[in-house]
Amino acid sequence: MTRKKSGFLTFIFSLLPGAGEMYMGFMKQGVTLMGAFFLLVFLSSWLNIGPLLFVLPVLWFYSFFHVHNLRSMPDEEFYAVEDDYLFHLNQVLPENLNLNKKARNILAVVLIVIGLGVLGNNLLDFLAWVLPSHLFDWYWELAHALPRLVVAALCVLGGIWLIRGKKRELDGQESSGGEQP
């Protein structure tokens, strides 16, 4: 059973996103927040996408205030809070991980792109010795720009997919005879 903890230690742990939630016994929430925070740090540095770092303060403040809001809850409310993943990963990824064909294809493409990126970066040193300098310079620029281009394309496609889904939802509401309460 999750129980309230020391106010001082709660404050100290709340300074690291996810650590405060884990200290208070909400492991799923804490791991999700900490994973998202450090995944953003990793992606922004690996892909050299500085603007991605603007999401970090939002995650940090959310985690900080979430921990202190949990701490200030009355006991009845605090004990009623269930530990769940921040992004409801338990609904996205079922326990047996039987993914449909579309999800498997997307996962396969992501793994192939990551594998090609790692392979390409590891080949850079070898190719410096083999390729003429003008071809190596071209390959080096491509190898460093490709991950950013892929992420940018995925962001654009994801935005289009979200807009189209919302448009379909709104069109469905109009054709069903009005607004839903």
Side-chain angles (χ1 to χ4, degrees), residues 136-148:
F136 176 74
D137 291 342
W138 176 82
Y139 178 76
W140 188 86
E141 289 294 330
L142 178 67
H144 285 84
L146 189 61
R148 288 180 286 194

Side-chain angles (χ1 to χ4, degrees), residues 13-41:
F13 284 115
S14 71
L15 296 175
L16 180 65
E21 284 85 359
M22 287 191 274
Y23 171 70
M24 295 185 72
F26 298 102
M27 293 299 183
K28 292 178 183 177
Q29 291 177 13
V31 167
T32 307
L33 279 166
M34 191 175 284
F37 185 83
F38 287 110
L39 180 67
L40 284 172
V41 170

